[in-house]
Each structure stands twice: as structure tokens, then as C-alpha cells.
Amino acid sequence: MTIHTADAATAADAPKAAAGAIASPPPARRRRRHRVQGQWWVPWAFLAPALLLFLVFRYIPMVQAVSMSVENVRPYLGNEFVGLKNYQTILADPAFQDATVNTLILAVGQTAGCLLLGFVLALLLEGQTRKLSFIRSAAFLPVVVPMAVVAELWRIMYHPSPDGFLNSLIGFLGLGPSEYINSPDSAMWSIMLMGIWRGGPYDMMIILAGLAGIDRGLYEAATVDGANRWQRIVHVTLPGLRPVFTILFILAAIRGFRVFTEVYLMTNGGPNGATEVVMTLLYKLGLEQQKLGVGSAGAVLLFLATLVLTVGVQLLLRRKKDA
């Protein structure tokens, strides 16, 4: 009797199992349907225009620059292979050495200034009120303004006459007029000040995002332990922002090594080479003096310096984490 009952139950479940087998497709068909619904080439199709532009205007010129750096470039006559002669020429050039020193000074000054200004602005403008949102947006405006416009505005404000904009302001403090970008002693600092003014708000926004990720319980615990505001900044805020500062340092250093537009528009490397940086010197060597091979060698050296800096910072951070 029990056997007949089990057989009846099995016979009753057989149509359901058959219907389930018909309703659910086999695994191979399901994989095929999933593959059709999400083709692997769809994201690449959307990325293709941007990748094509990068290929044509960035990667192909980079390869050509490396090739030209070991050649004596002769337009319409054919290039002549010269090996490392271009690198020897650019490294022995006193103008390139002075430009390298100026680039390092400008990069270090702008990097430190932007980080300090961005950190101070982030501490002052941290919050969720509408007024602070408006002030943050207003402070971020210099970042979205094109560098050519910013450089021209600051060049006008740096007018060396006593009735110039900045000279009029410092005149109220009893200070004499300054020549700013027209003097070899102050031209570099004037460009550095403009770079800090423009780059500080960019660092501010990234630091604000980093501040939002710090656990508020750490501040409460520090307050309970009797820490004042300065101690909370030193022992809670700064350690919590260490990854953010690392990223900003790398970005600012790369930006400092590649500085060109503001120097070219404001001083063009003058006066007397006081603000000549590597990028402006390479521009003059390659496009004005037609020394394309020597200019390409300098560009390759600049790329290698940037690469070494980036990789070195990453390895240093990884070593600290492992320790």
C-alpha cells in the first residue's frame, strides 16, 4: 500500500517536473542569452572616440618624441640617427639647468602653498549650511576659469605703475610700488602666488571630501580627553587626511613640473630668464629654434622625472603600510 502511494505521488509530480524543465532553458542557452544582452564590446564602443583622440593626440606623439630624441630632425631631408647626443646636449646646456632649478622652485612652492591654502579653506568652510555651500562654490571659481584668462587678469593686476591694482592696495599699507613680474627678483614669486591662488580651491574640495570620511567619534573622544582644537587637528585630522595629502602631493607635483601656460603668457621666461621653466625652454628649442631633436630629448627627461617621482612616492607609501 505504501509502495502504491509513493508511485502515485511520483506520477503526480512528473507533470510539474516536466513543466519546470520546459519553462527553464538549459544552462548553455541561459549563458548565451546573458551574453547577447550584455555584449563585451558595448563599453568599448562608447570609449572608442575618446580612446581614438588619446591615441592620435597623446600616445602617438609620445612615441614620436622618443624616436626624435635620438635623431637629428631634418624636415624634408630625412632624420639622421645620432644616439644619445641630444641628451648630452640638453643636459650640458646651462639654460636647461637653470630652467630645471626654476621648475623645482616653482613646483615645490606651489605644491606647499596649494596644500596649505586648501587645508585652511577646508577647515573654515566645512559644514552643510547653504551659506557655506555658496562660499565654497565661489571659492572654487578660479579652478574652472581657463588659465589663459587667469594669467591675463593677474598680468593686469601686476602692472608695475604706482596706480596699478595691487600697487594701489599695498599703497594703503604704506608700502612702495613693486615691479612684480617685470623684476627678476620678484617675477618667480609673483607667478607662484597666482598658481597658489588658482590651485588652492582645487585642493580644498578634495580635502573636504577627506574630512567627511573621518570618524566623528574620534573628535568626541579627543574632546573628552581634554584636547583643544589645535590638538584635535594635529592628532585626528592630519592623520586621517594622510591618503588625501598623498594624492594631492602627486597631482600638484606633476602639475608643477608641467607648468607652461601661466609662465608663457605672463613673462615668456623673462625677465632675463628669471622665470624660464623646462616647458617654456623646450617650446623655444623645438618650435622657435627648430631644434626638435634636442627639445624631444628634454621632453623625455621631463617625463622620466615625473614617472620616477610618482612611482617613488607610491613605493614609499607601500613600504610604510607594510611596516
Side-chain angles (χ1 to χ4, degrees):
M1 184 67 180
T2 305
I3 297 175
H4 290 298
T5 304
D7 293 341
T10 303
D13 293 338
K16 297 180 179 179
I22 297 174
S24 61
R29 188 181 301 175
R30 286 199 300 268
R31 287 196 300 269
R32 193 182 305 113
R33 182 182 302 172
H34 176 72
R35 194 176 301 166
V36 172
Q37 290 177 353
Q39 294 289 352
W40 64 269
W41 51 266
V42 173
W44 292 103
F46 284 99
L47 291 173
L51 293 177
L52 181 62
L53 290 176
F54 270 94
L55 179 65
V56 174
F57 294 103
R58 182 179 291 269
Y59 298 117
I60 292 179
M62 288 174 60
V63 175
Q64 290 179 341
V66 175
S67 175
M68 292 166 57
S69 67
V70 294
E71 295 176 338
N72 179 21
V73 181
R74 300 181 301 175
Y76 309 109
L77 296 177
N79 298 342
E80 179 185 4
F81 181 79
V82 294
L84 299 179
K85 183 179 179 180
N86 291 330
Y87 291 94
Q88 296 174 354
T89 302
I90 192 69
L91 289 175
D93 188 359
F96 181 77
Q97 298 172 4
D98 295 339
T100 303
V101 174
N102 292 336
T103 302
L104 291 175
I105 293 175
L106 191 59
V108 171
Q110 286 191 353
T111 300
C114 288
L115 288 175
L116 179 60
L117 178 61
F119 181 66
V120 173
L121 290 176
L123 292 179
L124 294 175
L125 301 179
E126 184 184 12
Q128 301 297 329
T129 62
R130 292 185 177 180
K131 292 181 180 180
L132 289 178
S133 299
F134 174 77
I135 296 175
R136 283 197 295 265
S137 301
F140 191 74
L141 283 179
V143 181
V144 299
V145 177
M147 177 56 75
V149 178
V150 173
E152 184 63 23
L153 290 175
W154 277 80
R155 192 179 66 83
I156 295 174
M157 291 191 298
Y158 280 148
H159 197 276
S161 64
D163 56 348
F165 180 78
L166 290 181
N167 280 334
S168 298
L169 293 180
I170 65 176
F172 290 108
L173 302 177
L175 301 177
S178 174
E179 296 185 4
Y180 299 109
I181 58 176
N182 292 335
S183 172
D185 298 328
S186 59
M188 179 63 71
W189 307 109
S190 300
I191 296 177
M192 188 183 301
L193 176 62
M194 186 210 56
I196 294 173
W197 174 83
R198 188 176 187 271
Y202 176 83
D203 293 357
M204 174 198 71
M205 298 302 294
I206 300 181
I207 294 174
L208 282 173
L211 289 174
I214 299 177
D215 186 8
R216 297 298 163 183
L218 298 176
Y219 290 104
E220 297 175 359
T223 304
V224 171
D225 291 339
N228 55 30
R229 182 175 180 83
W230 173 250
Q231 291 173 334
R232 291 197 299 269
I233 292 175
V234 173
H235 298 288
V236 179
T237 305
L238 291 179
L241 292 176
R242 189 173 300 166
V244 176
F245 284 137
T246 302
I247 296 174
L248 288 177
F249 172 78
I250 295 175
L251 293 177
I254 294 175
R255 189 169 60 243
F257 284 161
R258 297 170 52 196
V259 62
F260 172 75
T261 306
E262 53 265 48
V263 177
Y264 178 75
L265 292 177
M266 296 182 70
T267 63
N268 194 20
N272 297 328
T275 60
E276 191 80 87
V277 292
V278 173
M279 289 293 292
T280 57
L281 179 63
L282 297 181
Y283 173 82
K284 294 175 182 178
L285 288 174
L287 299 180
E288 293 182 0
Q289 303 178 20
Q290 297 300 315
K291 298 179 181 179
L292 295 176
V294 179
S296 299
V300 173
L301 292 175
L302 181 61
F303 169 76
L304 292 177
T306 306
L307 181 63
V308 169
L309 174 66
T310 305
V311 175
V313 172
Q314 294 294 335
L315 292 178
L316 182 61
L317 292 176
R318 188 176 301 176
R319 183 177 300 178
K320 287 185 178 181
K321 286 182 179 180
D322 295 340

